[in-house]
Amino acid sequence: MKGIDEDIIDRYLNNQYTEEDIQVISDWLNEEDEHAKWLFKTEEYLQLSKLEEFADESFVDAAEQRLFRKIEALEEQKTIRKRSFSLWKRYAAAAVVLLIAGMSIHLLVRGTLPFKNKQIELLTGAEISAIELPDGTKVWLNQYSALKYPSDFGKEVRQVFLDGEAYFEVVPDRMKPFVVESDLLTVRVLGTTFNFKSRQQADKIEVSLIEGEVQVKETLGDGQIILSPGQRAELNTTDKRLTVQQVDAGLDAVWHNDLIPFSQATISYIANVLEQFYDVKFVLSPELNVSTTYSGVVRRKDTIEDVLISLQHVIPIYYEIAGTNIFLYSVTR
């Protein structure tokens, strides 16, 4: 979980917390809305009433009350910003579940739990999680995302529900199409590779096709299209307008493996792509041969200079960096 030491949460859950720990948690909740969202998903994910072992409502209520009394006692001892701490109280019951069930906090990021309704939900915090579904399909879940599927997945249908962003490498099975649903878009495939970005409250939902063919359909409407590789479908969540663009679809999925793909790319195009990833401005020297093309992948690294050093092994260039401006020259200059 980005921005907070998991040991702090573990200490809190095990009744070994300090006032400083409480302050850290309070500050963390104030940093980003995604932190509260993650806790909200945790609360939804760990509803005790759905677990047969802990279906006793009175037991849950008693656990909540004990925790709230401890929080209120700490509030009296030390002044903490009310807004953030009251928000923490809102999710306290979900945290208690972990303590009661004897589970590690790490389970929330990469684990699964069987519920009475035979649904499995995978949640991520600040980390990217790579998983494999029962049919062999590989899925990379981006930060703060959720993927749900039935525990009997693949026996009759292959259907999942996504909230967030995920990259899919679907195992072909013509008898059982693979379906990804979100609140507003549904993607139906036989076997393919694509990126699906569908976050609540976002301005648009995107499906980018890398390989194969997919059908993109409005979940609540009649609009639908068939995508070919290199196309991106975008649904405007305000006017529900579904459009298609020709794009370098592989760039939409760089987050899942940190590899930036290039196919027959000129130096100008490579520079434009790197500008997007590193928030810099390239200035190309006139003597550079901009007609020569290059194919391959570049690993996304911590700094743009690290990337430029790698590029020098395959492209005859040298560079000068001045703030956010990067000047590229030919080695023959």
Side-chain angles (χ1 to χ4, degrees), residues 148-150 153-154 157-161 177-181 186:
K148 298 180 183 178
Y149 61 90
F153 175 87
V157 297
R158 297 191 296 167
Q159 187 171 24
V160 300
F161 184 88
F178 190 96
V179 179
V180 185
E181 287 193 2
T186 298

Side-chain angles (χ1 to χ4, degrees), residues 56-228:
D56 189 342
E57 293 287 342
S58 63
F59 182 78
V60 178
D61 292 340
E64 284 188 43
Q65 292 304 314
R66 286 195 299 272
L67 180 57
F68 289 159
R69 283 197 294 271
K70 287 191 289 186
I71 292 175
E72 289 167 359
L74 281 172
E75 285 180 314
E76 293 176 359
Q77 295 173 17
K78 186 171 184 177
T79 302
I80 296 175
R81 282 174 289 182
K82 289 290 184 179
R83 176 184 175 275
S84 61
F85 208 78
S86 61
L87 183 60
W88 169 248
K89 287 172 64 177
R90 177 182 174 189
Y91 305 114
V96 172
V97 172
L98 293 178
L99 179 61
I100 295 171
M103 291 179 275
S104 167
I105 192 71
H106 302 281
L107 183 61
L108 300 176
V109 179
R110 300 183 183 275
T112 64
L113 280 177
F115 291 104
K116 282 185 176 180
N117 59 2
K118 295 184 179 180
Q119 288 290 312
I120 294 175
E121 182 173 10
L122 305 176
L123 305 176
T124 57
E127 298 85 5
I128 294 171
S129 180
I131 60 175
E132 184 171 315
L133 297 178
D135 69 332
T137 291
K138 295 179 181 179
V139 183
W140 284 260
L141 272 182
N142 207 345
Q143 298 174 330
Y144 304 108
S145 298
L147 187 75
K148 298 180 183 178
Y149 61 90
S151 58
D152 60 352
F153 175 87
K155 291 184 178 180
E156 295 183 3
V157 297
R158 297 191 296 167
Q159 187 171 24
V160 300
F161 184 88
L162 174 68
D163 176 17
E165 183 172 12
Y167 175 88
F168 295 85
E169 291 183 356
V170 179
V171 171
D173 187 341
R174 292 193 172 276
M175 300 302 294
K176 299 176 183 176
F178 190 96
V179 179
V180 185
E181 287 193 2
S182 72
D183 288 335
L184 297 176
L185 270 187
T186 298
V187 177
R188 182 182 178 89
V189 303
L190 295 176
T192 189
T193 302
F194 64 99
N195 194 76
F196 195 175
K197 186 176 183 179
S198 178
R199 295 190 182 277
Q200 294 182 9
Q201 283 79 53
D203 294 333
K204 60 184 178 181
I205 298 173
E206 301 176 0
V207 179
S208 303
L209 182 61
I210 290 88
E211 295 178 6
E213 182 179 283
V214 299
Q215 177 194 70
V216 180
K217 183 180 182 300
E218 292 182 55
T219 301
L220 303 177
D222 298 325
Q224 71 176 44
I225 53 176
I226 302 296
L227 288 186
S228 297

Side-chain angles (χ1 to χ4, degrees), residues 26 34 94 105 110 142 176 183 188 241-242 280 287 314:
S26 175
E34 292 291 351
I105 192 71
R110 300 183 183 275
N142 207 345
K176 299 176 183 176
D183 288 335
R188 182 182 178 89
R241 185 165 175 251
L242 186 60
V280 294
E287 76 269 12
V314 293

